[in-house]
Amino acid sequence: MKKIEAIIRPERLTDTIKGLKKIGITGFTVSQVVGRGKQKDTQGVYRGKNYQVTLHPKVKLEIVLSDYLVESTIRTVMQAAQTGEDGDGKIYVYPILEAYNIRTGTIDYDIDDLANREGGL
């Protein structure tokens, strides 16, 4: 199993989710985050005062899935989230050693077989 973390522009979230659903990925977590990369600072105005924006709003998608789904998921996220501008984001891939079901208190061996249980892929 792997965990994919994708940091993307908030305005690309809807297209990214649509793309994930098309390839059968329906389980994920979305968090609103702020961050700093190569994207340039911007100027903002609040109550008539100028200020500099150095941390930019982003969205973080977290997806745990079977190894065989990693490449297609990365490709899908890149296609949906890419604008070609600085600040498009990053994708990170981590190994998952174990998963636990909180309700039952047991190791969740079924997470790697999610598609088979739900009639998905």
Side-chain angles (χ1 to χ4, degrees), residues 51-69:
Y51 66 95
Q52 195 161 348
V53 177
T54 58
L55 294 176
H56 303 283
K58 301 292 178 188
V59 172
K60 179 167 70 169
L61 282 169
E62 297 175 81
I63 310 162
V64 175
L65 38 65
S66 299
D67 289 347
Y68 73 93
L69 294 169

Side-chain angles (χ1 to χ4, degrees), residues 4 14-15 22 25-26 33 36 38 41-43 50 57-58 63 70-71 73 76 79-81 84 95 107 112 119:
I4 294 175
T14 300
D15 288 341
K22 282 184 184 176
I25 305 296
T26 57
V33 297
R36 175 84 186 146
K38 292 183 180 179
D41 293 346
T42 58
Q43 293 290 322
N50 289 336
K58 301 292 178 188
I63 310 162
V70 171
E71 286 184 39
T73 302
T76 298
Q79 289 173 351
I107 292 178
D112 204 34

